[in-house]
Amino acid sequence: LAKRLVRITLADLASRIGARLEGDGDLQVSGVATLEQAGPEQVAFLANPRYRSRLAATRAGAVILTDEDLAQAPGSALITGNPYAAYARAAEILSPEEQPEPGADTGAWVAADVTAPQSVSIGPGSVIESGVSLGEGVSVGAGCFVGRGCTLGEGSRLWPNVSLYPETRLGRGCRVNSGTVIGSPGFGFAEEDGRWLRVPQLGRVLIGDNVDIGANTCIDRGAIGDTVIGDGVILDNLIQIAHNVVIGENTAIAGCTAVAGSVCIGRRCRIAGGVGIAGHLSIADDVVVTAMSLVTKSITQPGTYSSGTPLQANRQWRKNSIRFQQLDQIARRLAELEQAAVRQSESGDDV
Amino acid sequence: LAKRLVRITLADLASRIGARLEGDGDLQVSGVATLEQAGPEQVAFLANPRYRSRLAATRAGAVILTDEDLAQAPGSALITGNPYAAYARAAEILSPEEQPEPGADTGAWVAADVTAPQSVSIGPGSVIESGVSLGEGVSVGAGCFVGRGCTLGEGSRLWPNVSLYPETRLGRGCRVNSGTVIGSPGFGFAEEDGRWLRVPQLGRVLIGDNVDIGANTCIDRGAIGDTVIGDGVILDNLIQIAHNVVIGENTAIAGCTAVAGSVCIGRRCRIAGGVGIAGHLSIADDVVVTAMSLVTKSITQPGTYSSGTPLQANRQWRKNSIRFQQLDQIARRLAELEQAAVRQSESGDDV
Amino acid sequence: LAKRLVRITLADLASRIGARLEGDGDLQVSGVATLEQAGPEQVAFLANPRYRSRLAATRAGAVILTDEDLAQAPGSALITGNPYAAYARAAEILSPEEQPEPGADTGAWVAADVTAPQSVSIGPGSVIESGVSLGEGVSVGAGCFVGRGCTLGEGSRLWPNVSLYPETRLGRGCRVNSGTVIGSPGFGFAEEDGRWLRVPQLGRVLIGDNVDIGANTCIDRGAIGDTVIGDGVILDNLIQIAHNVVIGENTAIAGCTAVAGSVCIGRRCRIAGGVGIAGHLSIADDVVVTAMSLVTKSITQPGTYSSGTPLQANRQWRKNSIRFQQLDQIARRLAELEQAAVRQSESGDDV
């Protein structure tokens, strides 16, 4: 079972990824691999200085690297300021993602009034409800649910078993991986006599262009206004985005992070995995939050923020952990000692 | 693509949501919106004092509010002791949730012996196994799996791509959102010679009436006895409820929280997001646990509980975090200083 | 609606679970239950000393227990060194898991070149793409997606609505529960001019034999190399396993844990729920990590590791939590006091 094989010359590849070629432009290459595993027909890359020592011994047909590393390259080189980005482009060219065949599978349920150009692909078992609009080249995987009135922009792709609730809007070039749910009602309930009354969730989810969403992630629709995900945002797996959250352009959020209702996150933020962000907060642009931190106040300045305690052997941790419960008392006792020392020193002065 | 439009008089609305009307009872209203965005045909609400300043400038046809805020209302008012609950009812009336058409889609696989009154709706691609019983008005979305012998009470609704393992019972008026899995085998394994032996999970999941469950949440079946979710419980997205957990009536649990096996949670608790509750614990009624706390002992008294450390700039956090590892030693050194001070003071007294 | 009923003699059961029988070998038993709830035709077990007091009053037809507890058994006993494992076997025999009927449902979409022996079961609404190979007795539940070129070993079972991306390999005897996604592209992006460029994820997910995977869990495919899950690994619900993670044999991971990219976890580890493991770390064999800990350095020695702070009433916790922010300063002040004490003591000596 072969993937689609692409074979091009190094000169061609260099020009397509925007790199400068040093070496054999006529060499045919047909795939990418690591410095260690690449063979003479494959292209490798060196982006992380940690792996510099592996460069000399590589058997790769060519290596994507910076000018700085060029002298150590044993063979042909593709030189660029950003080897990892150039590698991403080379990999896309040499190992292109499989594209599903255009057309709606006979096993799909597509409402009569769905807008879908010929270039659209719809997999078996998927359901496309009334009023949906699919752009050129959109692909809807097997078993997806696309609710009434959803809009998917040009070239967007849903992998199998994605659920889009009614009125969800995806821009162009988005990817949504399996099991992800977008547009589900937010967790909005009014308390009345000790019971919870469901508050209708009337907003939508609006997703920009080139947004990448992992597997089993959830994005809730807004309560009255909308939940908004900006252009170029990337979301990992198992993320919870609550109702009325707004995420700025090109922000990245790693797996298992939970963003509570009405949070507004700026642009180019990097939120690590397992983070929690409490409701109604604002996070400035260019903020980094480290793994498993809890954000309970708005962050107004760019920078890196953290909470939590470091890992220790359980035996030591238990001792310190018990002391944490006494910390306020420890601080007060320390202050008393300091005051006593001052008094003593003053009484000494008096003498 | 229009939603169903409802237009009624203010007098009618007031009577249906149980509010007292001050103003124009003949005014026709047709939707809800925020104080800022509502127009003269829409109803807004003021429940949070934080937004009181927005009341004077609203263009809303009527505002739902308390007696206390009535004097500031610029137009008609719907007066109630609980504006948020009254708003929930008004929104339900003015923007009713779409109801799927009754009937089983020809693209659904429904076993011959399934009990399903005419009012039931079954979406395409869904599978209803043998022995399932569906109450009046039940709706099963596209692509759902309802395993052998499940029971869904009157008016319950499964959104698309929900999986119910065999023998799961849902009460009346429940909502289950997409991607949620109920009744999967619990994480029960016996260790034997360094290997894990699967322990058959023979219990069920029993869910009460009016339970609301978010998207991509998991509720495992019991090992021998059952996992039990009480009436009126509300669960957000991406929650893990392990085998044999019992959750009391009207308890609310926010997203990404994990409840380990055999935990018993009381009534009217509020468990925030990202919380962990270790196995076999009991949590009293009316307990509040704040976000990302870890509960490792039973909680016997109502109240609010927390763990964790506050967010700081990473540079400061690192310093404090390192000191946490020395905390027991710090406490011991403090105690020594205190003792030295006492000795000195005593020796001073002796002089 | 009856489950399959199995009725065998105690002697037969003893022999099949490898236990020594004391008592009535001709007794017919037909199910398992707890010590408290078992009737005279059922088998109970005593594995946890905590429940020893319940032994005397049990009405169970027989109890699985150790030699040590034999004297207190009121009736027949099945004696073994590992009662919980023996119970797992007895439960499997007396309450066997239902097996789906062999054959591909007419409502499944199965590519023409799929390898599937007669013993395979394929549920309605599932999609099996080209080049897939299914071993003897494999069962694919309703609504599953099995992508191009996947391989499922003998006896493996997918519950409904599982998604396997192309080229995923499962060994023999694996279980994958509903909503789980395996082989989705890892969270790999190159930054370029403040934007994220998708890095093609070219590796696969390779899963060993007898691996058990919970519901709504995600395992990403490798970036260049593969993500590898060893034989006998058990994974709970809602777990995130990122690209190129390697997990050693018989390691157990509980729910809501997130393992970042390229982490290598050893054999027989026990990772509790809600844990985070940062990227590129190594965890030795036989490591235990307690609930909601964050691992940010490699762990080279077996043992138990923890992070976090203990739960307290919110009022106390707030005070201590504020002090955590001053912890470095507290430590410095303590050191100053100590130095002052030393100086004073020295100056005292001088006198």
Side-chain angles (χ1 to χ4, degrees), chain A residues 187 220 229 233-235 238-248 251-300 303 305-307, chain B residues 236 254-257 272-275 290-293 309-311, chain C residues 292:
Chain A
F187 197 56
D220 285 344
I229 312 292
V233 166
I234 56 176
L235 302 176
L238 291 164
I239 289 173
Q240 155 68 357
I241 305 292
H243 48 189
N244 298 96
V245 166
V246 175
I247 303 181
T251 279
I253 303 184
C256 299
T257 280
V259 183
S262 301
V263 165
C264 182
I265 301 179
R267 288 170 293 183
R268 298 176 304 275
C269 292
R270 297 172 184 221
I271 314 293
V275 165
I277 305 183
H280 295 271
L281 303 184
S282 285
I283 312 287
D285 295 343
D286 300 301
V287 164
V288 175
V289 181
T290 63
M292 287 180 72
S293 297
L294 173 63
V295 183
T296 55
K297 290 184 182 167
S298 288
I299 300 178
T300 59
Y305 298 84
S306 306
S307 73
Chain B
D236 197 358
C256 300
T257 280
V275 165
T290 63
M292 287 179 72
S293 296
T309 75
L311 195 82
Chain C
M292 288 180 72

Side-chain angles (χ1 to χ4, degrees), chain B residues 109 127 130-131 143 145 148-149 161-163 165-167 179 181 184-185 187 189-192 194-200 202 216-218 220 224 238-240 258 274-276 280 290 292-295 299 304-312 317 319-321 323-324 327 330 333-334 337 344, chain C residues 1 3 32-34 45 50 82 84-85 87-89 91-92 95 98 105 107 124-125 142 159-161 173 175 177-179 212 215-216 232 234-238 250-254 256 268 270 291-292 308-314 317 321 324-328 331-332 334-335 337-338 341 344:
Chain B
W109 293 273
V127 175
S130 174
F145 170 75
R148 183 184 47 73
N161 291 326
V162 165
S163 303
Y165 278 61
E167 297 170 82
V181 178
S184 44
F187 198 57
F189 296 85
E191 198 184 353
E192 190 182 47
R195 297 185 180 186
W196 299 106
L197 197 62
R198 200 178 285 131
V199 178
L202 307 173
N216 284 345
T217 275
C218 296
D220 285 344
I224 299 199
L238 291 164
I239 289 173
Q240 155 68 356
V275 165
H280 295 272
T290 63
M292 287 179 72
S293 296
L294 173 62
V295 183
I299 300 178
T304 301
Y305 297 85
S306 305
S307 73
T309 75
L311 195 82
Q312 291 191 283
W317 172 80
K319 288 181 190 167
N320 295 323
S321 175
R323 297 299 188 179
F324 179 86
L327 202 45
I330 286 172
R333 283 161 51 198
L334 177 63
L337 272 189
Q344 195 181 39
Chain C
L1 183 88
K3 280 198 191 176
V32 293
T34 61
F45 71 104
R50 205 180 344 177
N82 188 341
Y84 194 42
Y87 162 74
R89 291 208 167 81
E92 187 67 43
S95 297
E98 246 182 312
D105 191 281
W159 281 87
N161 291 326
R175 301 289 166 104
N177 285 287
S178 293
D212 211 289
N216 284 345
I234 56 176
L235 302 177
D236 198 357
N237 302 339
L238 292 164
N250 301 310
T251 279
I253 302 185
C256 299
R268 298 175 304 276
R270 297 173 184 220
M292 288 180 72
T309 75
L311 195 82
Q312 290 191 282
N314 181 265
W317 172 80
S321 176
F324 179 86
Q325 294 179 304
Q326 308 161 352
L327 202 45
D328 185 52
R332 288 172 189 278
L334 178 63
L337 272 189
E338 286 172 331
Q344 194 182 39

Side-chain angles (χ1 to χ4, degrees), chain B residues 52-67:
Chain B
R52 194 171 280 156
S53 62
R54 299 181 186 173
L55 183 54
T58 190
R59 295 172 52 247
V63 179
I64 301 171
L65 39 61
T66 61
D67 245 327

